[in-house]
Amino acid sequence: DVKVTQSSRYLVKRTGEKVFLECVQDMDHENMFWYRQDPGLGLRLIYFSYDVKMKEKGDIPEGYSVSREKKERFSLILESASTNQTSMYLCASSLMGEVGQGKTEAFFGQGTRLTVV
Amino acid sequence: GQNIDQPTEMTATEGAIVQINCTYQTSGFNGLFWYQQHAGEAPTFLSYNVLDGLEEKGRFSSFLSRSKGYSYLLLKELQMKDSASYLCAVMDSNYQLIWGAGTKLIIKP
């Protein structure tokens, strides 16, 4: 089974702190994603990466950065945490498959519930 | 803009059938996904449709009409464990997933 592991299930950080969220996948997937999920809103893409050292901004990249030094690991960084970054953060990975082959579904980690106080 | 619409909440009875609808307007279309998410847990993949028609997988079926920008997820023989949120997502022309806000399904005995 594909496994996507996020380093923490729950985190509480203070405003202004630098926060690192780590994600590791064990299925050699090319694509990795960071989303945040808030009540009443769909999953919103923060950043994604389709290869080592490659990164692309998603819909809401402001206040975040990412790092992908190894294929299996994708880190999300909050440079200076703010209370409006309190959210559930979900990491996902997927194959770089051809559309229509049904192999491009994303596999998610268990999520990190971050509270910034 | 891109938009995915699905009902916020639905209630159904154990043993019954429920249909969760999803309508979409996106820049291009490269397939539609349904995911299940139990409270406090990660979404898990249920189904993928890229061609019109019905895909059946056990108690769950998913239907797609590309001309209407419409899909539904059909759940039969409902069980209490089916209480969860169901997320609809469309892959657009840039191969990015656009997500709906999810439908919370409540199953009553």
Side-chain angles (χ1 to χ4, degrees), chain B residues 3-102:
Chain B
N3 197 50
I4 309 284
D5 284 319
Q6 45 181 138
T8 304
E9 188 174 296
M10 298 181 71
T11 302
T13 304
E14 190 177 14
I17 299 173
V18 71
Q19 178 175 310
I20 302 173
N21 296 326
C22 171
T23 57
Y24 63 89
Q25 289 178 308
T26 57
S27 302
F29 179 83
N30 280 307
L32 185 144
F33 297 80
W34 283 97
Y35 281 78
Q36 181 190 59
Q37 186 178 24
H38 285 101
E41 297 184 11
T44 55
F45 170 75
L46 286 177
S47 67
Y48 172 71
N49 294 69
V50 67
L51 299 176
D52 290 350
L54 189 68
E55 295 277 343
E56 296 186 76
K57 198 185 289 187
R59 293 189 299 114
F60 292 8
S61 303
S62 56
F63 171 83
L64 174 67
S65 169
R66 287 173 296 170
S67 63
K68 295 182 179 178
Y70 168 70
S71 172
Y72 66 74
L73 180 69
L74 191 72
L75 291 75
K76 302 176 184 176
E77 302 169 15
L78 286 170
Q79 301 175 9
M80 297 303 293
K81 67 179 182 180
D82 297 329
S83 291
S85 289
Y86 292 85
L87 312 180
C88 173
V90 172
M91 186 174 282
D92 69 9
S93 56
N94 294 319
Y95 299 97
Q96 293 304 312
L97 283 174
I98 311 301
W99 294 84

